[in-house]
Amino acid sequence: MLILFNIIFRILFYYLFAELETATSSERQTAFWLGLRFDIKLASIAIFPLALLILIVNRRFFAYKFYRKLSYFYLIITYIVLTLFYITDFGYYDYLSLRLDAASLRFLEDLKISTQVLFESYPVFKGIFGLLILGYFIYKLSKFLYNQFSNQETHFSIKLKTGYFVATILILSFSIYNSFTHYPLRWSEAFFSKNNKVNQFALNPVLYFFDSFKFRSESVDMEEFKKYYPVIAEELNLPKDTISFERKVVFPDSLKTKPNVVIVMLESVGVKPLSYYGNPINSSPVIDSLIPLSTSFSNFYVHKSGTAASVFASVTGLPDIDDINTASRNPMIINQRILFDQFEGYEKLYFLGGSANWANIRGVFQANINGLKIFEEGSYENENRADVWGIDDYELFKESDKVLKKLHEKEEPFVAYIQTATNHIPFTVPDQKESFAPLSEDAISNDLLKKSGFKSVAQLNALRYLDFNIGKFLERAKESGYYDNTIFVFFGDHNTMMNRNHQYTTEHDLNINLQHALFFIHGPKYVKPKVVQKNAKLIDLFPTIMHLIKEDYTNYTLGSNILDTLDNKLTSSFVYLNMKGEPTVGLLQDSMYYSRTNISKTKGLYNLKDNNLVDIKEKYPNKAAAMDSLLNAYYHSTKYLYFNNKKLEE
């Protein structure tokens, strides 16, 4: 009955508010199906406490009036609360074209005005009367059902009772989980269409409200933002007299043939574990051989040490500065105008070994990229699940190559984002894969392992396996014919956790070693071998790629083209981390690192080339002040764009 109740309100929303005339029949069907799953999930959550009570007290439920009255009260309150949510959602959507979310709580800040608007706009007293009628109807219906079962004298055996108990719990639990994959049904699955009205229809407002509730305080401080906007405007060459992050980039000449783009996110690959950058163990022979043939960036930093954070930042062009979870999990900010969506005439693809429901990454991709095809668990011809992350990198690259080869044969250019995972705990590496074999525990001496900074041989083997698979992937690309016409972009989402050794000691002590990641661009036909030493950051990824393929674009993000030869000013890397138990923001310029904690406001300026960790802000006050100002500009601009960079409705 609760499922039916939810569906009735979904149907009402469809006919009164949805406006899906421009949506395709396929989009409407998918939205209805997803909506039904959300409605079932909500109904199961709502009934679960009462069901559990009845299963536990058993026949005593009919022997004591307390249980009967409690069940009446619970059901009446449940239906009334759900009705209030749905009715409020109708009004909220009618006003803002958004389903009810935690941001709606802002109307409570001025309760007097909000109440006056409510009474002047809606038939409040009729609504209250309607709720009373609904409550009375639920009471009579509950009483009828109670009497139907209370008069039964049938007694069941312990075995049968156990069966009922287990079956009920399993059915309700699965209805709440609502998925056959390794991840439960999440709000992000609703954002599958470029038509936001379709996505909004698929949501359930009650579930969506509580999903967004944890992010209710994640808002922009407009006073601080306006204070530092001139600083970010100077940094990004934005207009000074008005707030706008829009920069149109038009190339006078375009390439005759559209080059393919393959972006490979290398799980847990920083500079410190790589033999190319001085690690004493020969950990990465393939990467070592590719970097001299590529454009590499020795001072590339991701913003936050987490895979979901780096996926979000690389795709949206905005750093992840969420204190509690990751920005990808915030349903209020995933709607962004991004560069990945501006590849005209390209097939857009996303490959990963597991489920895109992980960290709600599906929402980040599907909500913002028109025509994107996601390949995940269940999408591949051969799926031998390696561990919690799905198929391993060997199989992922192999399956990705099959798709890319078909597109190449049809002469359809593509931009693909491949997310690896094997170089992550639990470090699942096969005993043998073609020429690759893992090192045994005694193959590396304890002294050498300690000198390298690796925590274990298993950690080393995982990196070696990823390195091997990069080589195999490029071999397949050559055999499949698309290697010559493809730009391969390799970046680490963060560094792997390593012990302190002789390398990057100051970064380790400042806790920014996890942000110093690998980044190089390989494509002999399009990219010349060189080392770029100026500071680069993850959000620069797509502007740089667009520059290489000479694709006109409009940049609304904080990222910039780091290959711009006309820009000789000092570049910066913006990082977000945790230091001494509190959130910290940091800025890197050349060899200087400036940090400020968010709560205690502790500040520090350090020279990364100095192995002794000495705070030099008092020695260089002007430098510290300038970096603090730019740091604030990046931080508050990110907050602003989270909520003010929404893509336009089509």
Side-chain angles (χ1 to χ4, degrees):
M1 288 177 61
L2 275 168
I3 293 171
L4 180 61
F5 188 74
N6 292 335
I7 291 173
I8 288 171
F9 277 100
R10 181 167 297 279
I11 293 172
L12 287 173
F13 183 87
Y14 178 79
Y15 283 106
L16 296 175
F17 303 101
E19 298 179 342
L20 301 184
E21 293 81 4
T22 59
T24 65
S25 59
S26 175
E27 285 179 321
R28 285 196 292 268
Q29 289 172 10
T30 302
F32 262 113
W33 170 238
L34 279 170
L36 176 60
R37 291 172 62 194
F38 283 120
D39 294 343
I40 292 172
K41 178 174 182 173
L42 175 61
S44 301
I45 291 172
I47 206 67
F48 201 99
L50 184 60
L52 190 61
L53 171 69
I54 296 171
L55 288 170
I56 291 172
V57 302
N58 208 267
R59 292 292 302 182
R60 295 194 302 277
F61 182 75
F62 298 107
Y64 298 97
K65 290 182 179 180
F66 170 77
Y67 293 125
R68 180 184 65 187
K69 292 180 179 180
L70 180 63
S71 66
Y72 293 170
F73 177 77
Y74 182 85
L75 288 170
I76 291 169
I77 292 299
T78 297
Y79 277 95
I80 288 178
V81 169
L82 289 178
T83 303
L84 284 172
F85 264 100
Y86 282 122
I87 292 174
T88 306
D89 172 65
F90 287 174
Y92 193 69
Y93 190 87
D94 189 43
Y95 179 46
L96 295 174
S97 293
L98 293 171
R99 302 308 293 268
L100 191 67
D101 57 26
S104 61
L105 294 175
R106 68 187 184 275
F107 293 115
L108 298 179
E109 294 176 2
D110 197 327
L111 192 58
K112 182 179 179 181
I113 294 177
S114 298
T115 303
Q116 187 176 347
V117 171
L118 179 68
F119 274 86
E120 291 178 358
S121 304
Y122 302 101
V124 176
F125 293 110
K126 290 181 180 179
I128 294 173
F129 182 69
L131 289 174
L132 291 174
I133 293 175
L134 173 65
Y136 180 74
F137 174 75
I138 297 301
Y139 166 73
K140 297 296 289 186
L141 184 59
S142 300
K143 186 176 181 180
F144 170 77
L145 290 172
Y146 184 91
N147 291 333
Q148 286 292 307
F149 288 94
S150 64
N151 295 326
Q152 291 184 6
E153 297 296 332
T154 307
H155 292 276
F156 300 107
S157 66
I158 295 297
K159 183 182 292 187
L160 194 55
K161 285 181 180 180
T162 303
Y164 275 120
F165 188 100
V166 172
T168 303
I169 295 297
L170 287 177
I171 290 171
L172 288 175
S173 298
F174 179 76
S175 297
I176 294 171
Y177 193 82
N178 220 294
S179 174
F180 288 102
T181 71
H182 287 75
Y183 296 92
L185 176 68
R186 290 171 172 165
W187 58 266
S188 59
E189 293 191 51
F191 289 83
F192 67 93
S193 171
K194 192 66 185 294
N195 186 335
N196 196 46
K197 285 185 169 60
V198 174
N199 301 334
Q200 294 293 314
F201 172 69
L203 291 166
N204 179 287
V206 184
L207 296 175
Y208 188 58
F209 176 84
F210 287 103
D211 282 334
S212 63
F213 191 77
K214 65 176 74 74
F215 300 101
R216 64 194 182 281
S217 63
E218 295 294 316
S219 58
V220 58
D221 185 331
M222 286 302 297
E223 185 176 335
E224 287 294 295
F225 166 68
K226 289 179 180 179
K227 176 182 176 182
Y228 290 103
Y229 174 75
V231 180
I232 201 69
E234 179 70 25
E235 177 76 3
L236 300 180
N237 195 26
L238 304 174
K240 309 292 192 302
D241 54 343
T242 183
I243 294 175
S244 174
F245 287 84
E246 180 178 324
R247 292 100 78 199
K248 292 185 181 294
V249 179
V250 179
F251 294 92
D253 57 331
S254 58
L255 299 176
K256 294 181 180 179
T257 303
K258 285 181 178 290
N260 306 310
V261 177
V262 175
I263 303 164
V264 183
M265 190 215 81
L266 303 172
E267 173 63 49
S268 304
V269 179
V271 296
K272 184 173 178 177
L274 302 176
S275 42
Y276 179 86
Y277 288 103
N279 194 286
I281 293 180
N282 184 22
S283 57
S284 51
V286 174
I287 292 175
D288 293 355
S289 65
L290 289 173
I291 290 178
L293 305 175
S294 312
T295 295
S296 62
F297 303 83
S298 57
N299 289 302
F300 172 76
Y301 292 81
V302 300
H303 306 285
K304 191 177 181 182
S305 59
T307 302
S310 287
V311 173
F312 175 87
S314 63
V315 173
T316 64
L318 298 176
D320 183 339
I321 56 173
D322 186 272
D323 290 339
I324 303 170
N325 282 300
T326 61
S328 66
R329 291 178 167 92
N330 188 342
M332 300 169 69
I333 66 173
I334 63 166
N335 181 359
Q336 299 289 332
R337 291 183 288 185
I338 65 176
L339 271 61
F340 199 157
D341 191 41
Q342 298 183 39
F343 283 77
E344 295 296 330
Y346 279 80
E347 284 289 322
K348 306 179 190 77
L349 315 159
Y350 172 45
F351 297 90
L352 76 164
S355 169
N357 284 350
W358 159 81
N360 291 317
I361 291 300
R362 185 187 306 278
V364 176
F365 280 91
Q366 284 191 327
N368 299 308
I369 305 169
N370 191 29
L372 176 76
K373 295 179 181 177
I374 293 181
F375 293 83
E376 57 183 322
E377 59 182 29
S379 302
Y380 304 115
E381 294 180 11
N382 299 306
E383 292 195 7
N384 297 314
R385 191 175 184 86
D387 54 31
V388 64
W389 306 117
I391 61 177
D392 77 0
D393 293 345
Y394 181 90
E395 299 297 335
L396 176 64
F397 280 128
K398 186 176 181 180
E399 293 297 320
S400 301
D401 174 70
K402 293 177 183 177
V403 177
L404 302 183
K405 181 181 180 181
K406 290 178 182 178
L407 290 173
H408 169 71
E409 291 172 346
K410 292 190 292 185
E411 298 184 349
E412 296 181 9
F414 52 80
V415 52
Y417 191 113
I418 303 176
Q419 181 180 328
T420 65
T422 302
N423 189 35
H424 190 293
I425 294 172
F427 302 135
T428 306
V429 171
D431 294 333
Q432 186 75 40
K433 185 69 71 173
E434 296 188 20
S435 62
F436 173 83
L439 298 172
S440 62
E441 288 292 329
D442 57 0
I444 304 293
S445 68
N446 290 333
D447 288 342
L448 181 56
L449 193 66
K450 183 178 180 180
K451 187 178 179 182
S452 71
F454 282 101
K455 288 179 173 290
S456 67
V457 175
Q459 183 186 35
L460 170 61
N461 278 326
L463 176 60
R464 292 179 60 251
Y465 187 50
L466 174 57
D467 183 74
F468 163 77
N469 283 317
I470 292 170
K472 290 300 299 181
F473 175 56
L474 293 179
E475 285 179 18
R476 294 189 190 102
K478 291 175 182 177
E479 293 170 1
S480 297
Y482 59 85
Y483 172 84
D484 290 334
N485 193 43
T486 300
I487 297 172
F488 296 90
V489 181
F490 295 92
F491 78 94
D493 64 328
H494 55 81
N495 192 12
T496 189
M497 188 66 71
M498 302 186 76
N499 291 322
R500 192 179 192 275
N501 65 351
H502 67 285
Q503 296 177 280
Y504 305 101
T505 54
T506 306
E507 288 189 1
H508 187 279
D509 294 340
L510 289 168
N511 202 32
I512 57 172
N513 58 308
L514 288 173
Q515 273 85 355
H516 196 174
L518 174 68
F519 179 32
F520 68 95
I521 303 173
H522 181 73
K525 187 176 177 181
Y526 300 98
V527 180
K528 294 180 180 179
K530 65 177 177 178
V531 177
V532 178
Q533 294 183 335
K534 62 182 181 179
N535 280 97
K537 51 193 178 297
L538 184 53
I539 56 176
D540 297 330
L541 187 72
F542 272 97
T544 304
I545 293 171
M546 299 297 249
H547 164 78
L548 288 172
I549 67 174
K550 294 188 175 182
E551 181 83 7
D552 296 346
Y553 66 95
T554 304
N555 191 356
Y556 304 95
T557 74
L558 293 175
S560 302
N561 167 30
I562 49 179
L563 293 176
D564 189 352
T565 55
L566 299 177
D567 188 1
N568 295 318
K569 67 180 180 182
L570 200 62
T571 57
S572 306
S573 300
F574 172 68
V575 296
Y576 195 75
L577 60 149
N578 195 285
M579 181 177 286
K580 296 182 179 179
E582 62 176 301
T584 303
V585 284
L587 193 76
L588 296 104
Q589 285 186 339
D590 196 14
S591 62
M592 306 297 280
Y593 173 66
Y594 178 83
S595 68
R596 189 193 68 245
T597 57
N598 284 1
I599 300 172
S600 62
K601 307 300 180 184
T602 303
K603 302 174 182 179
L605 179 66
Y606 307 92
N607 188 338
L608 298 178
K609 292 182 179 179
D610 188 350
N611 289 331
N612 297 317
L613 196 61
V614 179
D615 184 357
I616 56 175
K617 68 176 180 295
E618 302 298 335
K619 186 177 180 180
Y620 301 101
N622 293 336
K623 180 66 175 178
M627 292 184 74
D628 181 79
S629 182
L630 183 56
L631 182 62
N632 273 293
Y634 268 114
Y635 180 80
H636 291 292
S637 295
T638 299
K639 288 279 190 180
Y640 173 81
L641 287 172
Y642 276 174
F643 302 98
N644 295 277
N645 187 33
K646 306 293 185 184
K647 66 181 185 297
L648 302 176
E649 292 288 344
E650 295 189 348

